[in-house]
């Protein structure tokens, strides 16, 4: 990826990190989040395997391609954001939907 900065609505791409600005700041476990950085370039096959293990250990079963499953996409998004999946689950449905769609787009490129 190039080192340019590209803006589209509430999303900024700089280098290999995507910054998503939340619709409203959200305080989770005493930390205020105004945006979420997603470092997709840091992800590896281990992240996919570990996300699947986490999901199965919580009783989540993926039917069909994982890239279309919101729970799977939340787990991969959390790994890209270097945050616990429980943190992402506390975001607004609109913010979480955009983040998981960005993750899905990354995986499907």
């Amino acid at each position: 990826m190039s080192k340019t900065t590209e803006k589209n609505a509430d999303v900024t791409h700089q280098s290999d990190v995507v910054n998503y600005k939340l619709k409203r700041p959200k305080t989770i476990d005493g930390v205020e989040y105004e945006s979420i950085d997603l470092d997709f370039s840091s992800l590896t096959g281990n992240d996919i395997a570990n996300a699947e293990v986490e999901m199965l250990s919580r009783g989540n079963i993926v039917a069909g391609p994982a890239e279309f499953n919101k729970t799977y996409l939340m787990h991969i998004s959390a790994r890209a954001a270097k945050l616990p999946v429980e943190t992402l689950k506390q975001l607004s449905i609109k913010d979480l939907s955009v983040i998981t769609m960005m993750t899905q787009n990354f995986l499907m490129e």
Side-chain angles (χ1 to χ4, degrees), residues 5 10 16 21 26 35 37 40 43 61-62 64-65 67 72 80 84 86 103 105:
T5 300
D10 294 328
D16 292 329
K21 184 179 178 208
K26 176 79 175 176
S35 65
D37 288 332
F40 293 120
L43 298 175
I61 298 173
V62 176
E67 292 81 8
Y72 173 79
E86 297 305 322
T103 300
N105 289 339

Side-chain angles (χ1 to χ4, degrees), residues 5-20:
T5 300
E6 172 188 322
K7 286 194 175 190
N8 180 2
D10 294 328
V11 179
T12 304
H13 297 266
Q14 182 149 9
S15 190
D16 292 329
V17 178
V18 178
N19 176 272
Y20 173 72

Side-chain angles (χ1 to χ4, degrees), residues 53-65:
V53 168
E54 279 179 26
M55 287 179 54
L56 290 173
S57 72
R58 295 176 184 201
N60 297 313
I61 298 173
V62 176

